């Protein structure tokens, strides 16, 4: 929202605070200023000048003009405007001397656009002023731009009057009322208004004007429009925009002669009703949309945009001026559905003040008398409304206010602040104020005492509050074990050389398919930002896969991990299941010494064991993205907690990647067991080595399990020592060596006992068909 | 043969000095062993004199015995000293042979790196834990109720426009802020409550160097009796001093957020220019850092907390923005980019 400093000055009595200082005050006490911009600097020195003579310049479309520039004297200027002709009165600006086409041009004749009055670049400004006079009503100005988000809750700040009220309150000055309600005509209205739904339209006021002439607005009004970022159109449209920018009340003008019947209806649209809008779009409406209608159908989409069929134009002579109030949420909904936000809808959706409709009409009457000479009012104001009692006053206990702010504000100061903001203040009981809210703050903004804390707080200034630590019970906060555990996991993996990445929660259907995931099993985004971000990830693997490919462009070897949420289409309590996972990857480019990829896999296994001591890896059928001969379940404390695998070669062009994917929710649960101390054994253990000859693809863990089973309860540990294949072993065979350690907590085992167990293992293994080297 | 005791004396002395000389000149362990056998061996050396002693009168026997013992001890000490010299020399040879180039790099992977957001987040978690705040988590996929309605943002509230929302087919949404965790915190623990909730949030915005649809916030809330603006400012200053490791100047100005009343924007005096104006603070001297305010009574009521008995403050800190300020990161996309050349700097 753009505010004109000059406009604010017209409304605040004696405002002399410089624009930059004012901007700062507004930021600290009312709403955030995004910037301040000087406009129309040329107007400072511009004056009306008569063109006395014009002569062409050879080889140029420009002409050399001699002008009578009043106090600046007679000047020669070079001008390129087609309307630069003798006797025209234009605007001269002394911008200095410059040689153009060998002619010295001393100053310039300016167009409306150059001066910041309108958008007209087609020629120089044509005036009807006295030579030497400044351009009436057009002055340099400063535009203060307020962040719209910071006035979402303040319907009144969508007009200059509201901001002027703030400024007056901040500076302790008087606000001038720009509205003369005495201009409102009384008597019977010459148009009927019928509101079918008073919830959606609490008030509709209208007035008919006759003998209207549609013409360009005077320059001062055009300049105002430009200053606040609007285009000047014609006197009627500019007037409605002016009133809206001043009072925050949107208005609309219909050509009265184009209306069918003598009644304006405010009703819900019929299902499928068609409406042609001023923007040349055609909309199909439904009963959730509120329309303004005549006997033949919709003539405006209430609070959003007018209709094309009843629009004013060059031949319009009678105008119905609408000044209405609409329910905020209904306007917002309609504007969102048809994807059209207008200056009107933006204001209405903030909940405008119903008391403002006739004020706006009064302001319009005053302006139109100047803008459309000879205009006549026809009949009185048609005004239909729901009578809403004013909200009850708010009780504001002053001690409570002080406690909320954390500082004391004297009662007199509180009263003065509220008074300046035009709240009604009484003190029926000592220490408690009774505060009535002005109508323009009562629609949505202020309804409870907490809202008044802000009014007082911002005006006394929050920098007047001294920071203070609270007195609270020294209770330890509840622990977040899941989060603490995840931080522990991070520490383990960083120690093992892995670097943490953050990936998006979105994946594409393509990526899901690449991994053999069914897109239908993913939670889908209904309004994705791009087509490659339409699914919520149900696995972190596609993300880290992307990271591997990208980093492999720059690095030969690296380790990555991510801890993030998998989002699964299993609903519990209405929400999808979010499962924290860890994925870790070790990448190594092929062609280096670690050609076969085994090192990467065992390194990642070691990292997993750092997190989960004695975790086991059980080879299992591979998923489509896994190397079919290098994929396994990760088991810990009897439960499957994840997968370890090498990435399928089809997913990676060069090099190999070993991956680990763990369900951290399960791992956390399993890691929770407390340590229980076992006394150190006092009796020595006995150990012996065994080598089992097995098929090349037999799993060492299976051999170990069998040995353990035959060894029985006295086994302390079975340690893998080495494996060997090649001569003298037969093709397809390997020898796997283990060290078996036996022991007992209460005695030293005799050599007979040890031999017996050893023999039992050997016999057992042989019984299973294995040959043993002992 | 009967040796005179004086001859015996001399022979012992001779053997002792000859053996000492031999020990001293031994070049190898073998030389030394030969010298030892000659001097102390069972059949030779001093032992041969022991046999003679039996024939001596008792007082002489005692004297010669002492003499022999002294000689033996001298020789043994000499042998031991010589052995030590050999051991030392051998050790020195080994130590020298074990010269190692310690400037070679250590084998194995280098330590990895935590994501910059993780680093900042952990610091803040620790700080707030030390101040008695619980660290809470909430789901990334949220209900409309928790993300909006329970925060005093009913349907069709214009504030919903402030946060472009990703909607999901289930009717749920991706949380647009960490504020719904406030609601979950109040539902779960009730008052009094001190909590923070760091996490990932989503807004439907196009990505460029300064905008991301995925970023990180840290929500904070305190509910107790008589929590005031003064308390809020105290915590915010403590928080910022810890983050920036120096005292910071802050200012509160009005800001509108439906879930707080009054609501503030907290600015810090620009750390780059110290408040005199620079491009980072857009010449204003201040940088907008965190929205905060006193919890709106509607929000308390919706979570079944009586606003006449309890009140509180809430704030939302942009972790992404903070990380960017802290580390001077000029492109927000780096944070989700997974590029090791970026991540390894932290």
């Amino acid at each position: 929202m753009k505010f004109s400093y000059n406009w604010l000055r017209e409304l605040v009595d004696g405002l002399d605070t410089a624009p930059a200082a004012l901007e700062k005050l507004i930021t600290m006490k009312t709403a955030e200023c995004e910037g301040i911009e000087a406009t129309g600097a040329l107007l400072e020195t511009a004056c009306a000048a008569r063109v006395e003579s014009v002569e062409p310049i050879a080889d140029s479309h420009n002409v050399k003009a001699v002008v009578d520039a009043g106090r600046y004297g007679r000047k020669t200027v070079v001008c390129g405007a087609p309307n630069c002709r003798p006797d025209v009165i234009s605007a001269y600006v002394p911008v200095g001397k410059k040689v153009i086409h060998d002619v010295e041009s001393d100053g310039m004749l300016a167009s409306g656009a150059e001066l910041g009055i309108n958008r007209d670049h087609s020629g120089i400004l044509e005036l009807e002023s006295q030579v030497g006079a400044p351009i009436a009503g057009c002055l340099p100005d400063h535009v203060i731009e307020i962040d719209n988000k910071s006035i979402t809750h303040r319907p009144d700040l969508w007009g200059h009057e509201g901001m002027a009220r703030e400024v007056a309150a901040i500076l302790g000055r008087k606000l001038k009322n720009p509205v003369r309600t005495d201009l409102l005509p009384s008597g019977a209205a010459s148009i009927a208004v019928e509101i079918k739904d008073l919830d959606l339209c609490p008030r509709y006021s209208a007035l008919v004007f006759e003998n209207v002439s549609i013409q360009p607005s005077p320059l001062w009004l055009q300049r105002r429009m430009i200053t606040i970022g609007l285009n000047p159109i014609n006197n009627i449209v500019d007037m409605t925009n002016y009133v809206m920018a001043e009072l925050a009340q949107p208005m609309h003008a219909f050509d009265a002669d184009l209306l069918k019947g003598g009644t304006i209806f405010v009703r819900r649209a019929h299902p499928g009703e068609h409406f042609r809008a001023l923007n040349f779009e055609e909309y199909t409406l439904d009963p959730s949309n509120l329309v303004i209608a005549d006997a033949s159908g919709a003539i405006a989409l209430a609070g959003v945009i007018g209709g094309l069929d009843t629009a004013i134009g060059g031949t319009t002579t009678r105008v119905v001026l609408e000044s209405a109030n609409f329910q905020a949420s209904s306007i917002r909904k309609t504007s969102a559905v048809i994807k059209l936000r207008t200056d009107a809808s933006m204001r209405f959706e903030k909940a405008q003040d119903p008391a403002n409709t006739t004020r706006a009409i009064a302001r319009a009457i005053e302006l139109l008398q100047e803008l459309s000479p000879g205009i006549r009012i026809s009949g009185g104001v048609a005004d239909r409304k729901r009578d809403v009692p004013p909200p009850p006053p708010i009780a504001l206990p002053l001690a409570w206010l002080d406690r909320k702010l954390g500082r004391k504000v004297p009662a007199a100061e509180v009263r003065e602040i509220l008074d300046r903001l035009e709240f009604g203040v009484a003190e029926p009981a000592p220490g408690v104020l009774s505060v009535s809210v002005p109508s323009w703050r009562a629609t949505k903004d202020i309804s409870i005492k907490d809202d008044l804390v802000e009014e007082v707080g911002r005006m006394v200034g929050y920098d007047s509050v001294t920071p203070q630590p609270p007195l609270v019970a020294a209770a330890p906060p509840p622990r977040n074990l899941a989060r603490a555990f995840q931080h522990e996991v991070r520490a383990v993996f960083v120690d093992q050389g892995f670097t943490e990445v953050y990936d998006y929660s979105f994946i594409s259907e393509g990526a899901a398919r690449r991994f053999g995931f069914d897109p239908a099993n993913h939670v889908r985004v209904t309004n994705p930002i791009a087509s490659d971000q339409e699914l919520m990830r149900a696995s972190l693997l596609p993300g880290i896969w992307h990271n591997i490919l990208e980093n492999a462009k720059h690095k030969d070897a690296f380790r990555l991990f991510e801890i993030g949420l998998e989002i699964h289409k299993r609903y519990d309590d209405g929400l999808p299941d979010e499962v924290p996972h860890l994925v870790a990857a070790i990448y190594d480019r092929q062609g280096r010494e670690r050609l076969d990829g085994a090192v990467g896999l065992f390194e990642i296994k070691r990292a997993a064991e750092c997190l989960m001591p004695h975790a086991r890896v059980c080879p299992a059928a591979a998923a489509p993205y896994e190397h079919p001969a290098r994929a396994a379940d990760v088991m810990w404390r009897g439960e499957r907690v994840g997968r370890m695998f090498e990435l399928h070669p089809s997913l990676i062009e060069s090099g190999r990647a070993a991956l680990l994917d763990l369900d951290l929710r399960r791992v956390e649960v399993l890691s929770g067991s407390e340590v229980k101390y076992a006394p150190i054994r006092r009796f020595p253990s006995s150990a012996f080595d065994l080598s089992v000859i097995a098929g090349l693809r037999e799993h060492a863990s299976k051999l170990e399990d069998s040995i353990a089973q035959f060894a029985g309860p006295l086994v302390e540990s079975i340690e893998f020592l080495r494996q060997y294949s090649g001569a003298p072993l037969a093709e397809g065979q390997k020898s796997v060596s283990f060290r078996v350690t036996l022991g007992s907590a209460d005695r030293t085992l005799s050599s007979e006992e040890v031999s017996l167990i050893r023999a039992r293992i050997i016999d057992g293994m042989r019984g299973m068909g294995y040959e043993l080297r002992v | 043969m009967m040796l005179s005791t004086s001859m015996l004396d001399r022979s012992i002395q001779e053997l002792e000095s000859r053996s000492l000389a031999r020990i001293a000149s031994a070049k190898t362990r073998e030389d030394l062993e030969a010298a030892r056998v000659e001097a102390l061996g069972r059949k030779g050396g001093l032992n041969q004199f022991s046999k003679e002693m039996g024939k001596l009168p008792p007082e002489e026997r005692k004297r010669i015995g002492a003499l022999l013992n002294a000689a033996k001890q001298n020789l043994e000490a000499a042998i031991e000293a010589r052995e030590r010299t050999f051991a030392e020399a051998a050790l020195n040879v080994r130590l020298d042979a074990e010269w190692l180039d310690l400037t070679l790099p250590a084998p194995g992977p280098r330590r990895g790196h935590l994501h910059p957001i993780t680093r900042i987040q952990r610091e803040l978690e620790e700080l707030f834990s030390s101040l008695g705040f619980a660290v809470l988590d909430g789901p990334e996929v949220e209900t409309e109720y928790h993300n909006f309605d329970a925060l005093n943002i009913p349907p069709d509230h214009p504030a919903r426009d402030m946060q472009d929302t990703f909607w999901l087919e289930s009717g749920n949404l991706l949380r647009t802020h960490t504020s719904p965790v406030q609601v979950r915190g109040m539902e779960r623990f009730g008052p009094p409550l001190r909590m923070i909730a760091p996490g990932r949030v989503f807004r439907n915005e196009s990505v460029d160097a300064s905008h991301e649809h995925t970023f990180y916030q840290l929500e904070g809330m305190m509910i107790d009796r008589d929590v005031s603006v003064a308390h809020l400012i105290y915590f915010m200053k403590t928080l910022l001093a810890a983050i920036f490791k120096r005292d910071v100047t802050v200012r509160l100005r009005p800001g509108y957020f439906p879930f707080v009343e009054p609501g503030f924007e907290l600015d810090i005096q620009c750390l780059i220019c110290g408040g005199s104006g620079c491009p980072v603070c857009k010449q204003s001297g201040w940088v907008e850092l965190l929205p905060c305010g006193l919890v709106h009574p509607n929000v308390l009521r919706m979570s079944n907390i009586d606003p006449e008995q309890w009140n509180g403050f809430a704030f939302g800190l942009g972790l992404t923005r903070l990380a960017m300020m802290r580390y001077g990161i000029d492109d927000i996309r780096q944070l989700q980019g997974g590029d090791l050349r970026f991540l390894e700097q932290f």
Side-chain angles (χ1 to χ4, degrees), chain A residues 28 32 332 403-404 454 480 483 487 494 497 500 502-505 524 526-527 529 551 554 574 578, chain B residues 110 112-113 118 121 125 135 137 140-141 161 165 167 169 172 200 204-205 212 226 229 261 338 340:
Chain A
M28 290 308 291
E32 181 175 342
R332 184 174 178 277
R403 283 207 306 279
K404 275 278 198 175
E454 170 148 53
N480 184 335
R483 190 173 272 268
H487 284 320
V494 166
E500 187 181 26
Y502 282 15
D503 273 305
Y504 289 117
S505 301
R524 191 173 284 273
T526 55
N527 58 337
I529 207 146
N551 282 299
H554 312 290
E578 297 183 2
Chain B
R110 303 280 82 81
H113 304 263
T118 301
Q121 188 184 305
E125 285 174 18
V135 183
D137 284 306
E140 289 176 1
V141 176
D161 288 345
T165 309
W167 294 92
E169 56 185 347
N172 295 311
R200 177 180 285 209
N204 196 334
E205 293 192 357
E212 248 289 4
D226 290 326
V229 176
E261 186 64 58
L340 283 165

Side-chain angles (χ1 to χ4, degrees), chain A residues 235-259:
Chain A
N235 54 348
I236 303 299
V237 174
D238 294 351
M239 180 281 294
T240 59
N241 282 333
Y242 185 93
V243 174
M244 176 175 72
E246 186 167 69
L247 304 180
Q249 171 66 55
M251 303 182 101
H252 183 67
F254 300 101
D255 186 325
D257 293 323
L258 298 176
L259 297 183

